[in-house]
Amino acid sequence: MNLFRPLLVSGLLVLTAAGTTLAQRKLSTPLIERTELQLELPLRNGDYFWTSLHAQHSFGNGLDGGAFQFNWLQGGYEHFLSDGWSLGGNARLNFYESFGNIDVSRIRTEFRPEVLLRHRGDVFGLTFGQRLSVEYLTQKAPARNLGMARLRLDLERVVSVGEKLKLRPRLAYEAAMNIRLQPPDDAPEERTVDYAQWRAEVGLRLSDHFDLTPYVARQSTFAVYLPQYDPAGNLISGGRTNVRTPVVGLDLRYTLFPGGSPFERVQLPTQH
């Protein structure tokens, strides 16, 4: 199992290099804000159930500004194989409407089940986490269903401040890769690496029950748009594009213990 760690790091380097190589143009989009409410139910054997409700708001101008843009409802279960290894699964229902004024008839839904393998260990006094997952996104026609592999690495440390308050500074990087045996006929130059995100946070563990985690992030979505050329034949827009979006967010997690009394357990970040 120790071989799994360098394999994950190598895989991340490959994904990062592929995304950097393919991204020929850069496009910046307006800031988005995300809020997630979480409920966690740990079990005495170390496993836990969790559920969350997520909302996203865009501060951009035009069609995407001024209203909710993207929401999801998610739930999952994680089983600890040992102190460092865990295996889990979750399912997410996405529902979003991207035209500002909410119209139920235009709200689109997507269903996304996911299975994951996680490892957490000590590296120079820091907790080093690795999360590898595979998901399958089902979408309504004409959009295609999509399989995706995700890899996330993170470093964090818990710092006690006084008797009750604990701080959890954490830095994470995630890359996602489309799973395709061959490119679709209608988009033969579509990218393999689809998504990447840096995230920095400082979690506040206010009590055994309540965590508040503000964060900032920058996500990159790799896409291929219809190219536009000037009269001289030079590419002026479209083509292979790296769409970069700044993010500010807040996770609020409440932990509900069976029987009401807190007990020792491995507590994972609010970014499940």
Side-chain angles (χ1 to χ4, degrees), residues 79-95:
H79 169 67
F80 278 84
L81 306 171
S82 66
D83 291 339
W85 291 91
S86 61
L87 181 68
N90 61 74
R92 187 170 87 191
L93 179 65
N94 300 335
F95 48 100

Side-chain angles (χ1 to χ4, degrees), residues 31-261:
L31 175 73
I32 60 175
E33 179 274 333
R34 292 171 176 163
T35 303
E36 185 164 304
L37 304 178
Q38 304 176 357
L39 177 64
E40 191 169 280
L41 178 65
L43 306 179
R44 292 191 177 275
N45 65 357
D47 299 353
Y48 64 92
F49 292 94
W50 62 273
T51 185
S52 67
L53 179 62
H54 169 107
Q56 174 174 302
H57 178 275
S58 172
F59 289 94
N61 297 320
L63 295 178
D64 289 334
F68 94 88
Q69 183 186 40
F70 181 84
N71 286 355
W72 73 59
L73 177 64
Q74 189 170 10
Y77 174 79
E78 196 150 341
H79 169 67
F80 278 84
L81 306 171
S82 66
D83 291 339
W85 291 91
S86 61
L87 181 68
N90 61 74
R92 187 170 87 191
L93 179 65
N94 300 335
F95 48 100
Y96 58 95
E97 196 273 354
S98 59
F99 295 101
N101 297 320
I102 299 176
D103 181 350
V104 175
S105 65
R106 288 206 306 261
I107 293 179
R108 293 187 292 162
T109 59
E110 302 169 344
F111 180 67
R112 193 219 66 175
E114 180 185 36
V115 294
L116 66 95
L117 178 66
R118 191 194 309 264
H119 178 265
R120 286 164 62 81
D122 184 82
V123 176
F124 302 115
L126 302 174
T127 300
F128 176 47
Q130 301 165 95
R131 182 187 187 276
L132 179 65
S133 70
V134 178
E135 66 181 44
Y136 187 74
L137 179 65
T138 61
Q139 307 176 88
K140 292 183 178 180
R144 302 186 311 273
N145 294 343
L146 180 65
M148 183 171 288
R150 293 181 178 270
L151 175 62
R152 183 193 304 157
L153 304 182
D154 60 52
L155 281 172
E156 73 167 345
R157 184 176 183 181
V158 178
V159 180
S160 297
V161 180
E163 296 183 359
K164 295 184 178 180
L165 177 64
K166 293 184 178 181
L167 302 181
R168 301 183 68 183
R170 174 174 172 268
L171 180 65
Y173 179 78
E174 182 177 42
M177 180 181 68
N178 293 334
I179 301 175
R180 292 192 181 95
L181 297 179
Q182 62 183 22
D185 295 336
D186 60 344
E189 295 185 353
E190 189 166 349
R191 299 177 188 276
T192 300
V193 177
D194 181 70
Y195 174 88
Q197 183 189 79
W198 285 100
R199 167 167 160 157
E201 65 185 48
V202 178
L204 289 82
R205 188 183 300 175
L206 304 178
S207 69
D208 292 324
H209 294 276
F210 188 68
D211 291 78
L212 183 152
T213 305
Y215 66 88
V216 295
R218 192 191 74 171
Q219 68 182 35
S220 297
T221 302
F222 307 111
V224 178
Y225 295 112
L226 183 66
Q228 303 290 329
Y229 300 91
D230 63 17
N234 299 313
L235 180 68
I236 57 175
S237 66
R240 296 181 181 274
T241 306
N242 180 353
V243 183
R244 294 180 173 178
T245 305
V247 181
V248 295
L250 180 65
D251 292 344
L252 301 170
R253 178 170 65 188
Y254 185 80
T255 303
L256 182 64
F257 294 92
S261 299

